[in-house]
Amino acid sequence: PEYATSGAPSPTKLSCKKLNDDQIQRMRRACKVARQVLDEVLAQVRVGVTTDELDRIAHSRTVELGAYPSPLNYMGFPKSICTSVNEVVVHGIPDSRKLEEGDIINCDVTVYIDGMHGDCSETVFVGEVDDAARKLVKVTWECLMQSIDIIRPGQQLNAIGLVVETHARQNGFSVVREFTGHGIGEAFHMTPYVAHFYEPDNKTLLEEGMTFTVEPMINAGGPECKFWPDKWTAVTADLERSAQFEHTLLVTAKGVEILTGGRTPFFLKS
Ligand code: MF3
Ligand code: CO
Ligand code: CO
């Protein structure tokens, strides 16, 4: 991508326009590679593995598949994926800490190939986790999937946040407001920004051919975030746990295509 050397994403690629058929085909490919790399990273999550090791696996598999790991040097981000453990809400930087029994970890993989970015993430358990963590992760996944269910041309963009916020609150959880889903395609992040809470005045309508992410961050405690001194790692202000799931989506004539779909989340398997 244009920022790989400079670290600076191009300001001319701001708005996500309706994609043509060729762009849609390239988005399908980028999202399929992102999903494949994410699945391979998640398969390596276990007690004792460091997030640096997950980053190395993601980096080498992404490059082997002919893609570029989109986070690398995006506004100076130092690694190829984000790994967000326990109270880390988002943008955790892989490091030398070993995963411990009872941790929850979100791995967020974005790749760039054929001129397009594909972006997805999942939160998984490290060994056995407590019931509160199980419920947080399950409800966060339900927030994502229930909001995807209502996506179709003509739907208001703010219907997504309404569904996410309603389901999170019904379960006693809170929704992070500082970070949103985003238009995606030739640029990593562009308009429209997709709030995961209800914005009554945002009447933007969804149109066939739009591609964007939904990526709710749901907190066990309060919604407030603070930053580590590295200026990337966002943590909950109360240090309670946070979970996240993300898909890249295409609005189709009939509804929606989950471009990064595939795997059945582990906690739904019997
Ligand atoms: N993948 C993240 C998202 O869902 C963005 C990571 S940007 C990085 O939007 F620079 F932190 F990698
Ligand atoms: Co994203
Ligand atoms: Co992401």
Side-chain angles (χ1 to χ4, degrees):
E2 78 284 0
Y3 57 80
T5 307
S6 67
S10 162
T12 61
K13 287 184 171 178
L14 273 177
S15 161
C16 183
K17 309 221 174 58
K18 277 186 61 160
L19 301 192
N20 62 36
D21 287 346
D22 167 64
Q23 290 170 312
I24 289 171
Q25 285 308 330
R26 290 187 287 124
M27 269 312 272
R28 286 200 178 103
R29 170 125 188 260
C31 290
K32 204 173 161 198
V33 171
R35 164 52 58 182
Q36 183 174 342
V37 172
L38 177 58
D39 285 350
E40 292 184 25
V41 169
L42 295 174
Q44 299 304 319
V45 169
R46 60 178 173 275
V47 174
V49 170
T50 68
T51 46
D52 270 341
E53 282 161 353
L54 300 177
D55 178 68
R56 272 196 292 277
I57 291 160
H59 183 96
S60 61
R61 282 303 287 148
T62 301
V63 171
E64 274 168 22
L65 293 167
Y68 177 91
S70 304
L72 190 59
N73 207 27
Y74 178 80
M75 296 169 70
F77 191 81
K79 297 286 174 83
S80 295
I81 56 170
C82 299
T83 52
S84 300
V85 176
N86 296 336
E87 76 276 14
V88 179
V89 172
V90 74
H91 300 162
I93 301 173
D95 65 15
S96 59
R97 178 184 178 276
K98 289 181 162 73
L99 294 176
E100 294 174 8
E101 182 91 19
D103 285 345
I104 62 171
I105 177 173
N106 174 277
C107 298
D108 190 333
V109 170
T110 315
V111 306
Y112 182 74
I113 184 169
D114 286 348
M116 292 294 181
H117 296 269
D119 190 4
C120 51
S121 84
E122 282 191 29
T123 301
V124 295
F125 306 144
V126 182
E128 287 295 312
V129 305
D130 60 33
D131 288 346
R134 278 178 198 282
K135 182 181 171 195
L136 176 66
V137 172
K138 180 168 179 284
V139 168
T140 304
W141 182 80
E142 290 167 351
C143 284
L144 173 61
M145 299 315 286
Q146 289 181 14
S147 66
I148 291 173
D149 277 345
I150 56 95
I151 294 175
R152 55 177 166 74
Q155 178 70 272
Q156 287 184 12
L157 186 64
N158 66 8
I160 294 169
L162 180 60
V163 170
V164 171
E165 185 169 13
T166 301
H167 190 59
R169 290 168 85 119
Q170 273 171 358
N171 284 280
F173 299 139
S174 65
V175 178
V176 170
R177 305 177 74 91
E178 282 90 336
F179 304 94
T180 64
H182 49 92
I184 184 168
E186 285 168 0
F188 193 168
H189 294 109
M190 45 186 158
T191 58
Y193 290 95
V194 183
H196 303 110
F197 53 89
Y198 184 48
E199 291 183 309
D201 296 335
N202 184 350
K203 301 252 160 74
T204 304
L205 296 182
L206 300 181
E207 288 173 54
E208 184 182 351
M210 288 173 77
T211 48
F212 57 86
T213 73
V214 178
E215 50 183 295
M217 286 137 277
I218 306 299
N219 293 354
E224 299 81 12
C225 298
K226 57 187 185 186
F227 287 89
W228 280 6
D230 64 25
K231 296 193 173 75
W232 280 107
T233 310
V235 297
T236 56
D238 56 16
L239 302 182
E240 296 275 352
R241 287 177 291 210
S242 182
Q244 181 181 29
F245 286 82
E246 173 174 29
H247 275 309
T248 298
L249 307 164
L250 168 69
V251 182
T252 63
K254 287 188 182 148
V256 61
E257 183 177 327
I258 304 179
L259 296 173
T260 48
R263 215 173 69 102
T264 306
F266 65 98
F267 51 83
L268 295 181
K269 291 177 196 156
S270 50

